[in-house]
Amino acid sequence: MNRREALSSIAAVSAAGIVPAEAAKTKTQPFIYSLNMSTLRGQKLGFRKELEVAAKAGYGSVEIWISTLQDYLKGGGTLQEAKRIIGDLGLKVEDAIGFATWIVDDETARNKALDQLKGEMEQLAAIGCPRVAAPPMGATTGASLDLARVAERYRAILELGDKTGVVPHLELWGFSKNLSRVGEILYVAVESGHPSARLLMDVYHLHKGGSGMEAIKDVGKPLIEIFHVNDYPKTPPREQITDADRVYVGDGIAPWKNVIQSLKNPDKPIILSFEVFNKDYWAQDALEVAKTSLVKMKKIVEAAV
């Protein structure tokens, strides 16, 4: 063996040792950790400071609220500056929380909501956000909607997503008159007939709406890209529990091992986004809350995988 052959052989062996190790490392990371800014909403930090706190706490991904982004723009900020801030902090905006009433029966109100959502999607696209939540806003009380029509309306906003590059994820709200159960959102997603249809579920809302954690298994893995995590205490009972009762993951009674194993997808990492509206946490230091939420998420994942 000459010197060139020897060096080539060494390089090949080294590469063979390195590449599988890197691949194994990637394979052992089935989840991406994200912070939903509802968690810090009570501290009233504003768009830039919320992002800074998330980055300092160790997050690489976040969910923003559209209203907070728009307040930043009203205060003189620009979409270009917002994108630069996000990039400089090493963050990725995975999703945005908005409340356009795309689902309602009133055609005038629905058309107005579609215009609103289109504008919001364009703003999100400009800062690199690929998703927006689509909850049943405007239909949480009153009559039960025809799910076939809801599917048509969901398809309409998915088609807006085709134009803007921001995909609306149909969100489960457990307290709502409509879309409170997994069977409903699954029906709407499938009957929309659109390949980009996706579902956004939440530990608290699965509990509140009565579907339970086992229902996660009923949803095909391709439909889940991002999942809201939190926990619920034993009391108050399901019928009386509210958004404000959500706590850190692992501090309640959710069956975490089952949840994590049901969500784990060998084909892609799933985004776990911590979302609470806890007034006790809002009264605390924002950075400490953000750090605690990340530590507790990692702990329940490590125990389950």
Side-chain angles (χ1 to χ4, degrees):
M1 183 181 289
N2 61 34
R3 184 172 181 273
R4 179 177 295 178
E5 290 172 336
L7 289 173
S8 296
S9 179
I10 291 169
V13 171
S14 297
I18 292 171
V19 174
E22 289 299 314
K25 182 179 178 182
T26 301
K27 191 175 181 180
T28 59
Q29 302 297 325
F31 296 101
I32 294 169
Y33 301 101
S34 172
L35 180 65
N36 184 308
M37 293 308 179
S38 67
T39 305
L40 309 180
R41 197 161 178 79
Q43 283 90 341
K44 303 184 186 304
L45 303 176
F47 181 73
R48 180 195 288 265
K49 185 64 175 176
E50 285 180 350
L51 295 173
E52 290 173 348
V53 168
K56 192 172 182 180
Y59 280 99
S61 293
V62 293
E63 279 187 286
I64 65 169
W65 280 49
I66 293 174
S67 59
T68 304
L69 171 62
Q70 292 180 340
D71 286 344
Y72 168 78
L73 299 175
K74 290 173 186 176
T78 67
L79 292 170
Q80 293 79 9
E81 290 170 348
K83 186 175 182 180
R84 178 184 56 77
I85 292 167
I86 293 163
D88 288 349
L89 290 170
L91 293 173
K92 181 177 180 182
V93 179
E94 302 285 3
D95 185 31
I97 307 302
F99 302 104
T101 57
W102 61 274
I103 196 174
V104 297
D105 279 336
D106 186 294
E107 186 175 2
T108 300
R110 193 169 66 252
N111 288 337
K112 185 177 179 181
L114 292 180
D115 288 340
Q116 173 192 336
L117 187 54
K118 182 175 182 292
E120 292 172 349
M121 286 177 166
E122 289 170 346
Q123 290 179 330
L124 296 174
I127 64 169
C129 176
R131 306 174 186 86
V132 64
M137 190 69 181
T140 58
T141 60
S144 296
L145 300 180
D146 181 337
L147 289 181
R149 291 193 174 184
V150 174
E152 293 172 359
R153 294 164 191 173
Y154 181 45
R155 183 180 179 90
I157 64 173
L158 285 165
E159 290 173 350
L160 285 181
D162 291 339
K163 297 175 182 177
T164 61
V166 177
V167 179
H169 285 224
L170 191 65
E171 186 171 12
L172 178 81
W173 273 3
F175 63 85
S176 178
K177 178 73 172 181
N178 294 282
L179 305 190
S180 65
R181 296 186 64 87
V182 168
E184 293 174 323
I185 61 171
L186 188 54
Y187 175 92
V188 170
V190 172
E191 291 300 315
S192 72
H194 196 290
S196 294
R198 297 291 185 273
L199 302 183
L200 177 55
M201 297 182 291
D202 179 299
V203 167
Y204 162 78
H205 285 300
L206 285 167
H207 172 64
K208 176 65 177 177
S211 291
M213 304 308 124
E214 288 298 314
I216 298 171
K217 296 177 182 176
D218 297 328
V219 178
K221 290 186 185 296
L223 290 176
I224 305 174
E225 295 180 1
I226 183 167
F227 187 86
H228 286 167
V229 296
N230 37 61
D231 213 329
Y232 50 89
K234 186 174 182 179
T235 56
R238 182 178 69 80
E239 295 76 13
Q240 298 172 18
I241 201 168
T242 68
D243 282 340
D245 294 312
R246 304 185 204 191
V247 294
Y248 290 122
V249 295
D251 285 5
I253 60 171
W256 281 108
K257 185 174 182 178
N258 289 343
V259 170
I260 295 302
Q261 292 181 348
S262 295
L263 286 172
K264 188 177 178 181
N265 188 337
D267 297 325
K268 64 183 179 183
I270 301 300
I271 302 158
L272 300 180
S273 190
F274 183 72
E275 181 190 52
V276 295
F277 297 80
N278 191 302
K279 292 180 180 179
D280 289 338
Y281 300 168
W282 286 349
Q284 298 170 22
D285 176 71
L287 180 58
E288 188 60 31
V289 171
K291 285 181 176 179
T292 302
S293 65
L294 182 56
V295 167
K296 286 181 175 285
M297 275 199 292
K298 289 182 176 181
K299 184 176 180 180
I300 59 105
V301 168
E302 289 169 359
V305 297

